[in-house]
Amino acid sequence: GSMLNVIGAEPTRAYQALAMQARLKVPLLFGQDVIHGYQTTFPIPLAEAASWDLPAIERSARIAATEAASAGIHWTFAPMVDIARDPRWGRVMEGAGEDTFLGSKIAAARVRGFQGRQLGDTDAVMATAKHFAAYGAAVAGRDYNSVDMSPRQLWEVYLPPFKAAVDAGAATFMNSFNDINGIPATGHRGLQRDILKGAWGFKGFVVSDWGSIGEMVAHGHARDKRDAARLALAAGSDMDMESEAYRGHLGALVKAGQADAAQVDDAVRRVLRKKFELGLFDDPYRFSDAAREREVLARPEHRAAARDM
């Protein structure tokens, strides 16, 4: 139901036309890492955070969303709201730094900027709060690695920016590569079902990070991809990015009574709801307008805002 790294009004229109040949005519989502600008380049998120200028940070995300949406993109894998306190971690530059209060304010500002007035407007894209959770606390800054954390530190330092993103209306969440106290976040029911969808009442969908469902095998948490698909679905991961564990195994798991069909229905419903909110069932090509793309990407005020930032 989605494609990555397909950009431009004409290419997205062409792939959407192929999707419309299918029996159910369910429109595709087009996602892209729009991290610090689309065509107009803004400073990296850490540099923006150093300004403490929340209106300017929101404007940066607003312009990035306007440009990306004009190029047929519906969904950005941003903002990264991980708190990072170890400079050895290679993704520090993608977040807002080490302070939980500032990080929470910036998380909300960037969600508002990306999503604009409402989903469905052709200058808005779905935001993704990532990486849920505690990815920035990987031991010794080793990416994809383990996190060893007390409940107090998790709740007081690492979760508040995600709660701020939920409160700001973030459409989607992305889970993280790391394990937390021995359980991979992708297969962590406590994080995804109990906290995010339960206590916080999150109504959007959760997408895995790139291949992270399959990587639960490397963590030693799942026997194989089939087992990883079973664990991820049960934990609350709605969409499988890249590992093909869901596509390859969910049907067989349900038929064998090893996966809950109601949980599959819930995951599908969450994704479809966002496609409806974007207006894609009314017009699957509404974001793929070459004339609008040319006009939006030529706006001089976008470069002026980037220079100001």
Side-chain angles (χ1 to χ4, degrees), residues 11-307:
T12 54
R13 178 176 286 269
Y15 280 110
Q16 197 70 279
L18 292 176
M20 290 303 101
Q21 296 177 29
R23 180 176 61 89
L24 295 178
K25 294 181 169 49
V26 177
L28 292 169
L29 289 173
F30 296 103
Q32 177 76 3
D33 274 304
V34 183
I35 305 301
H36 57 108
Y38 176 71
Q39 174 166 286
T40 304
T41 304
F42 282 81
I44 59 173
L46 185 63
E48 291 192 347
S51 73
W52 290 69
D53 190 333
L54 294 173
I57 291 169
E58 183 172 338
R59 183 171 67 246
S60 166
R62 183 88 288 278
I63 291 171
T66 301
E67 292 188 348
S70 79
I73 295 168
H74 309 131
W75 184 20
T76 177
F77 306 121
M80 190 188 97
V81 303
D82 297 302
I83 298 300
R85 294 179 170 179
D86 190 333
R88 294 173 294 184
W89 188 48
R91 298 187 71 168
V92 169
M93 88 295 280
E94 201 179 337
E98 63 185 355
D99 186 78
T100 301
F101 178 80
L102 178 62
S104 298
K105 293 294 186 183
I106 290 175
R110 295 194 76 205
V111 168
R112 290 193 302 268
F114 283 130
Q115 296 189 173
R117 188 176 62 89
Q118 65 179 11
L119 293 185
D121 289 348
T122 53
D123 63 353
V125 296
M126 295 195 300
T128 306
K130 67 182 190 183
H131 306 83
F132 196 61
Y135 189 38
V139 173
R142 293 181 179 135
D143 204 17
Y144 290 53
N145 206 351
S146 297
V147 168
D148 189 3
M149 181 172 291
S150 70
R152 177 185 176 182
Q153 189 174 32
L154 179 67
W155 280 96
E156 291 190 1
V157 176
Y158 290 92
L159 288 184
F162 289 101
K163 181 58 164 60
V166 171
D167 291 344
T172 73
F173 263 54
M174 180 184 288
N175 55 42
S176 52
F177 287 119
N178 56 281
D179 73 58
I180 299 179
N181 300 335
I183 302 175
T186 307
H188 204 300
R189 184 184 184 97
L191 282 175
Q192 295 175 110
R193 290 209 183 273
D194 296 345
I195 296 174
L196 181 60
K197 295 179 177 179
W200 293 354
F202 177 64
K203 302 302 183 186
F205 68 84
V206 179
V207 62
S208 77
D209 208 340
W210 184 274
S212 69
I213 292 179
E215 286 176 11
M216 288 200 290
V217 179
H219 274 289
H221 190 70
R223 292 186 300 274
D224 51 29
K225 277 195 178 181
R226 178 186 171 106
D227 192 38
R230 178 183 65 83
L231 292 168
L233 177 72
S237 294
D238 299 307
M239 183 186 287
D240 176 5
M241 181 192 287
E242 194 276 331
S243 76
E244 300 186 4
Y246 279 5
R247 185 168 72 176
H249 301 289
L250 269 190
L253 285 166
V254 170
K255 289 177 182 176
Q258 296 173 339
D260 187 345
Q263 291 180 342
V264 178
D265 289 343
D266 178 64
V268 171
R269 186 178 296 112
R270 286 171 178 269
V271 176
L272 290 177
R273 184 181 294 121
K274 294 306 171 189
K275 294 184 180 186
F276 274 108
E277 290 176 8
L278 287 166
L280 296 176
F281 279 96
D282 296 321
D283 178 5
Y285 308 106
R286 62 198 311 270
F287 287 82
S288 301
D289 182 329
R292 184 173 69 243
E293 180 182 30
R294 288 191 296 271
E295 186 276 321
V296 169
L297 297 185
R299 290 177 183 173
E301 62 266 29
H302 292 181
R303 179 169 291 192
R307 291 187 180 278

